[in-house]
Amino acid sequence: MAYHFTSEIEMNRRERRSTFKASKVAQHQPSATTPAALYEAGVHHLSAGRHLDAQICCQKALALDAGHADTLHLTGLLCLQAGQLDHAIEWISRAIRQQPKTDYLTNLGNALLKLGRREEALATFDKAVQLEPDNAGLWKTLGDVLADMVRLAEAILTYQHALKLNPRLWEAAHKAGTLLHQLGRTEEALDLFSLHEQMPADDSLKLQMRALSMYILERFEEGLQDIQSAHTIDPTDAGTCSYVGVFLRQLKRDEEALPWFDQAIRLRPDFLGAFHNKALALVQLHRFDGALAIYDQMKAISSSAAAADFDASLIQLLTGNFETGWAGREARSNVPGLAVSRFEFSQPRWLGKESLAGKTILVPEDEGMGDTIQFARYLPMLAARGARVIVRVNDPVLPLLAGIQGVSQCIPHSVEALPAFDLYCPVGSLPLAFETRLDTIPPGVGYLPQPSEARMKIWEDRLSGCFGVEKKLRVGLVWSGNPKHLNDRNRSIPMQLYLRLLDLDAAFISLQKDPRPDDKAVLEQADIIDVSTHLTDFTETAALINCLDLVITVDTSVAHLAGALGLPTWILLSYQPDWRWLLDRDDSPWYPTVRLFRQDETRNYGPVLDKVRSELAAMIAARKSR
């Protein structure tokens, strides 16, 4: 009897378990019989995390109606959540063919983006905004895709349109302002960032926007406080972490910035911006191998990381590896925000392989005017290969280059109707085309035409009219370059720093074009001869330089002009110099009369000017003793 009783109890337990399971299945398998009801049940299961039940509902719905659009889309979402991107794209595309809806298109676009199919994603999001042209959120998403594709100008216009539809779409304002700042459109960026005053006081995005406003205004200490407060509110935001590092970099605290970039990368392993900023910090610390490793990681993440190729090439050139450096530097035309001209000529690009005999080659300026002067030494070499050489440059440098031997025609950059030509090679690509190595750099003196005697006499007369100039050492001074240059804060100096030279017994002449307001005020009070209003182009500057004994300048176009003219030229360099000045040397293989005065790891120009003063005093003394 006991045995029978125990067996009965076990049987009752099994029956109860079976009944319980059956009831649970009944709950998850509704008795819906229409595709719409099965779809609604599937959505309910998906929101509850019951993916298998949702999938069963979809299968039943599609068995009843194979073209039920919502169910096709839901099946695609299930595939998307399972990481089956190709299947997701197929199912959602079938749904769109049945009934194009914006949410279908948005999810298809996101799946395409995850597979790196950006052009298709862009077309998909574009179709979505056509269906709902008044949907600000869709326009913002379209802007995100354009920004991801480095089509920055189009992205900005798209964000701005989203803001017209919804002026309180703060994220669109933030992203548009950031891109405008990257492109140097400072005032427009500040207008967008000013919207932060309308945002909630404790909003992280408000603090980010205010911080970026401070960044544009170069108020980095204040901006750092704001961005750190934003991180306190949301410590999981990778962008905020990276921004903290960027502010620290601007304050020359690169070592402190590195952990912030690392944290951003931990939060978002594919965050190219954080990788890039970390590499820049490592370069400033002269940890070049580490920076090159970062650039390799960037290229592994994205095949379109042109900035990684370009910046890696600058390290190679800086360290004397010209072969790799010139080749990598060709990526410069694909780097957003870089002041490089893009060309869409139908003629082939010449990089040194084809014969030039009997051909006409166009050499357009593609970077700064200093680069153009430096690489103009290659123009006679093109002519020596039998080419007819046409040069296209900006107006200030045009008269100077027009007189170079072998140049048949020199036209302004603004001319749209170009003369006929067979090939083209940007000025900045000439070193690559001629396979330049450290020991094969073409001579740095003699390729520029000498100013005419008449022009030089005009300048001599101007200088002679200034008291005491005849008997003194004549020293030309330049203290700043183009304020839009990406590295201007490191290479330009306040004119105030030159005051420590002015008590020496020399005649100081300003070669500075367009001094900044603060510098202009100092210049008006300083004992410097200012004839800069007569420096209308580089031929005038060349004529004045030929009347001087020495030029002291920061790294700007006048440094190249003076060096190419063979005048003794002292160049003040930041701790992390431009690639062309190399490392750990006080001479230049590009210009034999140039002498380099470098910052040390303190990154302070004060000691540099002290050394310049000492050397200048010795030169003045030697001149007097002769």
Side-chain angles (χ1 to χ4, degrees):
M1 292 289 289
Y3 173 77
H4 177 73
F5 179 74
T6 305
S7 297
E8 188 175 355
I9 292 174
E10 289 298 323
M11 184 175 69
N12 290 338
R13 285 174 180 166
R14 286 196 297 270
E15 287 175 352
R16 286 197 299 270
R17 284 197 297 267
S18 177
T19 302
F20 177 74
K21 288 180 180 177
S23 68
K24 293 293 289 182
V25 171
Q27 290 176 14
H28 294 173
Q29 301 292 340
S31 58
T33 56
T34 66
L38 286 162
Y39 162 74
E40 292 295 339
V43 171
H44 177 73
H45 287 311
L46 178 60
S47 63
R50 299 188 294 266
H51 291 195
L52 179 59
D53 292 327
Q55 187 176 352
I56 292 171
C57 287
C58 289
Q59 289 171 348
K60 288 183 177 181
L62 293 175
L64 295 172
D65 180 1
H68 191 260
D70 283 340
T71 304
L72 291 168
H73 177 241
L74 180 59
T75 305
L77 292 183
L78 287 166
C79 293
L80 194 60
Q81 292 202 3
Q84 300 169 344
L85 297 178
D86 288 324
H87 292 304
I89 289 170
E90 182 180 348
W91 283 107
I92 299 173
S93 297
R94 287 174 61 185
I96 291 168
R97 286 194 290 271
Q98 295 296 322
Q99 188 177 358
K101 291 183 178 180
T102 53
D103 56 337
Y104 298 178
L105 289 161
T106 299
N107 286 319
L108 176 61
N110 289 329
L112 289 165
L113 282 177
K114 288 183 178 180
L115 283 175
R117 293 158 62 177
R118 291 181 175 84
E119 289 290 348
E120 295 171 77
L122 180 65
T124 302
F125 287 117
D126 187 58
K127 189 172 183 180
V129 297
Q130 290 177 36
L131 290 176
E132 290 189 33
D134 295 330
N135 188 323
L138 286 176
W139 281 98
K140 182 261 173 190
T141 301
L142 183 63
D144 291 344
V145 179
L146 288 164
D148 187 56
M149 297 174 69
V150 200
R151 293 166 61 170
L152 303 189
E154 294 169 79
I156 289 167
L157 290 173
T158 306
Y159 287 136
Q160 289 172 332
H161 186 73
L163 287 166
K164 286 181 182 178
L165 297 171
N166 180 5
R168 299 181 68 83
L169 195 60
W170 309 124
E171 192 175 359
H174 181 260
K175 291 186 174 183
T178 303
L179 295 180
L180 285 164
H181 172 57
Q182 288 179 14
L183 296 177
R185 294 160 63 179
T186 303
E187 294 301 324
E188 295 173 79
L190 283 171
D191 286 342
L192 286 174
F193 288 142
S194 67
L195 295 174
H196 64 68
E197 295 301 337
Q198 304 172 33
M199 299 170 68
D202 59 348
D203 193 293
S204 173
L205 187 58
K206 171 177 181 171
L207 290 163
Q208 288 185 36
M209 292 180 72
R210 193 165 71 188
L212 288 172
S213 297
M214 296 300 101
Y215 188 96
I216 293 173
L217 296 170
E218 298 189 2
R219 290 158 58 179
F220 300 119
E221 290 284 2
E222 296 169 78
L224 178 62
Q225 293 177 17
D226 279 331
I227 204 66
Q228 287 176 326
S229 297
H231 174 261
T232 301
I233 293 172
D234 185 3
T236 63
D237 186 283
T240 303
C241 293
S242 184
Y243 282 139
V244 174
V246 168
F247 275 96
L248 288 167
R249 280 204 60 241
Q250 290 298 332
L251 293 167
K252 300 182 180 179
R253 294 158 61 181
D254 294 276
E255 192 72 55
E256 295 175 63
L258 291 174
W260 288 97
F261 299 133
D262 288 335
Q263 187 174 348
I265 292 165
R266 281 194 296 272
L267 290 167
R268 198 196 309 170
D270 62 348
F271 192 176
L272 288 177
F275 277 104
H276 188 225
N277 282 309
K278 180 180 178 181
L280 293 177
L282 289 169
V283 167
Q284 285 295 330
L285 295 167
H286 285 196
R287 300 179 193 172
F288 301 119
D289 289 341
L292 288 172
I294 294 292
Y295 292 134
D296 287 339
Q297 288 179 269
M298 290 175 64
K299 288 183 280 187
I301 293 170
S302 173
S303 58
S304 61
D309 283 321
F310 176 71
D311 287 345
S313 76
L314 300 185
I315 294 176
Q316 301 290 1
L317 291 169
L318 180 67
T319 54
N321 185 4
F322 280 16
E323 183 175 4
T324 303
W326 297 130
R329 194 168 173 269
E330 288 299 288
R332 64 192 182 278
S333 58
N334 297 319
V335 178
L338 198 65
V340 176
S341 299
R342 277 76 172 164
F343 305 108
E344 296 181 357
F345 300 133
S346 58
Q347 293 87 338
R349 188 177 181 122
W350 183 80
L351 291 176
K353 303 304 180 186
E354 303 88 351
S355 170
L356 293 179
K359 301 288 182 65
T360 297
I361 185 167
L362 175 70
V363 183
E365 182 177 76
D366 64 326
E367 294 185 82
M369 289 182 285
D371 301 88
T372 301
I373 294 170
Q374 179 182 1
F375 298 142
R377 68 189 69 204
Y378 292 95
L379 298 176
M381 298 167 66
L382 292 171
R385 291 198 180 189
R388 179 176 180 268
V389 181
I390 301 175
V391 181
R392 184 189 188 197
V393 293
N394 282 303
D395 290 346
V397 80
L398 189 148
L400 183 72
L401 267 60
I404 291 179
Q405 182 182 359
V407 172
S408 299
Q409 190 174 0
C410 199
I411 58 177
H413 201 275
S414 56
V415 168
E416 294 184 4
L418 297 173
F421 61 96
D422 304 300
L423 305 160
Y424 80 97
C425 181
V427 169
S429 296
L430 289 171
L432 171 65
F434 283 96
E435 299 181 343
T436 304
R437 304 293 178 266
L438 267 175
D439 58 350
T440 64
I441 293 175
V445 175
Y447 61 89
L448 291 181
Q450 287 295 311
S452 69
E453 291 292 333
R455 181 168 278 132
M456 287 175 61
K457 185 176 186 307
I458 291 172
W459 279 105
E460 278 289 353
D461 291 343
R462 284 182 182 135
L463 294 178
S464 297
C466 301
F467 179 75
V469 169
E470 286 294 331
K471 299 178 181 179
K472 294 182 178 180
L473 187 79
R474 300 177 180 182
V475 182
L477 299 178
V478 181
W479 52 89
S480 64
N482 183 353
K484 294 182 179 179
H485 191 281
L486 291 176
N487 196 39
D488 182 65
R489 287 188 68 251
N490 290 319
R491 69 170 191 162
S492 293
I493 64 173
M495 194 266 159
Q496 184 87 22
L497 286 179
Y498 274 158
L499 295 182
R500 67 185 68 192
L501 306 179
L502 301 188
D503 62 332
L504 295 175
D505 190 21
F508 294 96
I509 298 99
S510 172
L511 302 175
Q512 182 68 52
K513 286 288 291 179
D514 303 319
R516 300 170 195 189
D518 289 348
D519 294 332
K520 192 171 184 179
V522 177
L523 180 61
E524 289 173 353
Q525 302 298 318
D527 187 15
I528 297 178
I529 299 167
D530 185 8
V531 288
S532 58
T533 55
H534 300 288
L535 299 175
T536 52
D537 58 41
F538 276 98
T539 55
E540 293 294 346
T541 306
L544 172 54
I545 285 173
N546 269 280
C547 299
L548 305 179
D549 300 299
L550 172 68
V551 168
I552 301 174
T553 177
V554 295
D555 179 11
T556 187
S557 54
V558 174
H560 294 279
L561 179 62
L565 291 170
L567 189 78
T569 306
W570 296 357
I571 304 176
L572 316 183
L573 297 178
S574 63
Y575 179 63
Q576 177 54 35
D578 193 65
W579 63 265
R580 72 201 77 225
W581 308 120
L582 303 167
L583 293 167
D584 302 321
R585 57 190 298 168
D586 60 7
D587 66 333
S588 168
W590 292 96
Y591 303 107
T593 61
V594 156
R595 186 174 174 189
L596 306 175
F597 292 77
R598 301 176 182 269
Q599 284 182 342
D600 59 22
E601 61 274 7
T602 64
R603 306 186 201 180
N604 188 342
Y605 272 112
V608 177
L609 267 297
D610 288 341
K611 184 176 181 182
V612 167
R613 176 186 167 82
S614 176
E615 295 294 322
L616 183 56
M619 179 182 284
I620 294 169
R623 178 187 176 93
K624 289 180 177 179
S625 67
R626 288 201 296 266

